[in-house]
Amino acid sequence: MPVTLSILDLAPVAPGQTARESFEASVKLAQAAERLGYRRVWYAEHHNMPTIASSATSVLIGYVAAHTSTIRLGAGGIMLPNHAPLTIAEQFGTLETLYPGRIDLGLGRAPGSDQVTMHAMRRDAMSSDRFPQDVMELQGYLQGKSRVPGVQAVPGAGTNVPLYILGSSLFGAQLAAGLGLPYAFASHFAPDALDEAIAIYRREFQPSEQLAEPYVIAGANVIAADDADDARQQFETVRRARVRGMISRGPATPDYSDAEIDAFLNTPNGHQIANMMKYTAVGTKPQVRRFLEEFAASTQADELIVAHHSPNIDDRLRSVELTADAMQGADA
């Protein structure tokens, strides 16, 4: 593809669907991505979210890897403050040993959950402050250059699983630059600091053993369909679902109608939530191609990672196919 394209699979669990069905959908999506020329598929660590099935991220990566052959697979990302760096080195060292040359490890510092769930995971509220040190400790294990005397990752040592720093703020950009690591910006849900973060990363980048020059991955959402009206309807369904999820607070939350959600979207708070999906390509192949090409040009990203949000797997697979065709220059 003229623009390097990858996929962020959020492993959604649709209403009436089981987690097992979500995993099977993830396999189908990765197989389609492999066939269609996408660079990689990543999965994100979330917890206590009934609509997302990728909480045990490394386990899901292994399952999908066993059902694919060549495509790179990884975490986008592992929320490192939730874990001991040694544990993650062992998990991803195991994956790299089983599927050599196919495993990525993206790292974030958010909890990937709410405050109560964070405590349930025994997460120290201050653990995110140690994120830079934890990244370097993890990197040492994977390089076979442990920073903890007498401790090595088995498997893991010497696998050199490539690390990526994920972020939605200037902190991640500065850390990735300082460590000489690739930087993936979460503009698919947190668009506001995108341009400034990329500028800082490129300006402050220091070459490293892993990477000689800056490498930027920018996130976007995609809903591609054969019919523009169908794509728009899918987008409205997805956006309403996101709003419902963000304003629902426990079993006492009202069952908001579509009309009530649409009315809320016209309020200041609604505008703020809607802005989270600012970078979303919606429409037919030409419309999606135009949006993604303009987005890639404006950010000067080396790679785009797109989340396909169509509500059901058949539409999601079609979106994956149409987007690949669009970015390869296939006729509409």
Side-chain angles (χ1 to χ4, degrees), residues 27-43:
V27 167
K28 290 179 182 178
L29 191 148
Q31 290 172 338
E34 183 173 78
R35 183 178 70 254
L36 293 165
Y38 287 82
R39 170 72 59 85
R40 67 186 95 240
V41 181
W42 280 0
Y43 308 90

Side-chain angles (χ1 to χ4, degrees), residues 132-141 143-151 179:
Q133 292 77 21
D134 285 348
V135 171
M136 290 187 288
E137 181 181 336
L138 172 59
Q139 186 178 53
Y141 291 133
Q143 292 176 339
K145 302 174 183 177
S146 176
R147 292 170 175 262
V148 182
V151 177
L179 296 179

Side-chain angles (χ1 to χ4, degrees), residues 249-268:
R249 293 292 181 269
T253 301
D255 185 13
Y256 295 109
S257 68
D258 287 352
E260 289 172 321
I261 294 296
D262 291 343
F264 174 75
L265 281 166
N266 288 319
T267 68

Side-chain angles (χ1 to χ4, degrees), residues 290-314:
R290 182 164 55 251
F291 181 97
L292 292 180
E293 286 179 343
E294 290 176 356
F295 180 61
S298 68
T299 59
Q300 291 297 294
D302 300 284
E303 181 177 337
L304 301 184
I305 188 162
V306 296
H308 292 268
H309 287 289
S310 296
N312 67 65
I313 183 58
D314 290 337

Side-chain angles (χ1 to χ4, degrees), residues 91-130:
Q91 290 177 7
F92 280 80
T94 298
L95 288 168
E96 175 64 23
T97 301
L98 290 169
Y99 308 103
R102 295 182 58 201
I103 303 301
D104 300 327
L105 178 48
L107 301 168
R109 64 172 180 148
S113 63
D114 55 65
Q115 293 293 315
V116 175
T117 306
M118 182 184 78
H119 290 298
M121 291 188 295
R122 307 296 192 267
R123 185 180 190 269
D124 180 352
M126 304 302 292
S127 58
S128 61
D129 294 343
R130 299 191 297 273

